[in-house]
Amino acid sequence: MKLIVGLGNPGYEYVWTRHNAGWTIVDSFVARLGLREPQIKFRGAYWGPVICCGERVSFLEPHTYMNLSGLSVGEAARYQNLAPEDILVISDDAALPFGRIRMRKSGSAGGQNGLKSIIGALGTLDVPRLRVGIGSPDGRMDLKDWVLGKIPQEQRREWHKIEDAAWEALVLWLSGDADRAMSKANGFRLNDGE
């Protein structure tokens, strides 16, 4: 059993904000799988479990707001008796430029408060994560304002390519090939070869 977690904030005002990149990616995954309305479970929106790539998998979008994401993920992990390595967390990353994604098996939160909360709740750094690059602001804008700002229309028009790359990495990860999943994700650059 695997759990895919997309990080974000609930509420219409956060739709298409940079900080909700994780939610947006999970939304694309559940749409690809033809999943309908989620259950409200584990303090969030929950789909599954379903069979994908020969693996039982469920999807979770915590409704706790970003900084308390660990409450939701910890509850789901305990209920489903999941090991941390069976949970893939998808979040935004201001240290990565827009159009890049990065997958790792473990590591620090890197300043991402949702991931920090999940690491705290699970008690380990060994939590797989897929980070979605949102870029960083120029010197005039506060980082908080940047991450809560909307993804510009020109970037939204390219977003499906990021979703496709994230899906390819997810399929490899679910198939048990984490190293290939990381290679695929980490090698992705928007508009490569175009």
Side-chain angles (χ1 to χ4, degrees):
M1 175 77 172
K2 306 288 187 192
L3 176 65
I4 312 304
V5 179
L7 298 187
N9 288 313
Y12 182 76
E13 67 270 30
Y14 296 108
V15 173
W16 277 111
T17 59
R18 294 177 180 93
H19 220 22
N20 275 36
W23 269 29
T24 307
I25 295 292
V26 165
D27 285 344
S28 77
F29 291 168
V30 300
R32 283 171 195 259
L33 292 169
L35 304 180
R36 301 286 184 226
E37 290 299 309
Q39 301 173 60
I40 300 304
K41 197 171 180 177
F42 309 122
R43 303 184 197 206
Y46 176 82
W47 295 264
V50 296
I51 301 297
C52 181
C53 308
E55 181 73 62
R56 288 181 78 232
V57 59
S58 54
F59 300 88
L60 176 65
E61 293 175 351
H63 285 180
T64 53
Y65 290 93
M66 183 68 76
N67 294 357
L68 298 175
S69 297
L71 294 174
S72 174
V73 176
E75 206 172 283
R78 285 187 300 277
Y79 183 84
Q80 298 177 338
N81 198 27
L82 295 171
E85 61 267 20
D86 293 326
I87 301 168
L88 178 66
V89 179
I90 305 172
S91 70
D92 63 296
D93 188 344
L96 277 178
F98 179 81
R100 297 290 306 274
I101 59 176
R102 183 80 74 235
M103 183 181 262
R104 294 179 65 195
K105 293 179 186 176
S106 66
S108 73
Q112 216 288 348
N113 288 332
L115 192 51
K116 182 178 179 182
S117 176
I118 291 167
I119 288 169
L122 299 178
T124 180
L125 296 174
D126 297 329
V127 182
R129 73 283 312 265
L130 178 66
R131 293 179 166 183
V132 180
I134 60 168
S136 57
D138 60 30
R140 297 184 303 271
M141 183 182 277
D142 183 72
L143 183 61
K144 181 181 175 192
D145 294 334
W146 175 260
V147 299
L148 294 178
K150 300 281 185 181
I151 296 172
Q153 283 294 340
E154 62 271 16
Q155 291 183 348
R156 286 192 217 178
R157 284 192 284 273
E158 302 270 62
W159 191 259
H160 67 280
K161 297 174 186 175
I162 296 168
E163 291 174 348
D164 290 346
W167 175 256
E168 289 176 25
L170 175 70
V171 165
L172 289 167
W173 187 76
L174 289 175
S175 301
D177 198 342
D179 290 335
R180 227 173 117 217
M182 288 189 295
S183 177
K184 186 80 169 169
N186 300 346
F188 173 76
R189 285 165 179 75
L190 194 61
N191 298 323
D192 256 11
E194 293 182 12

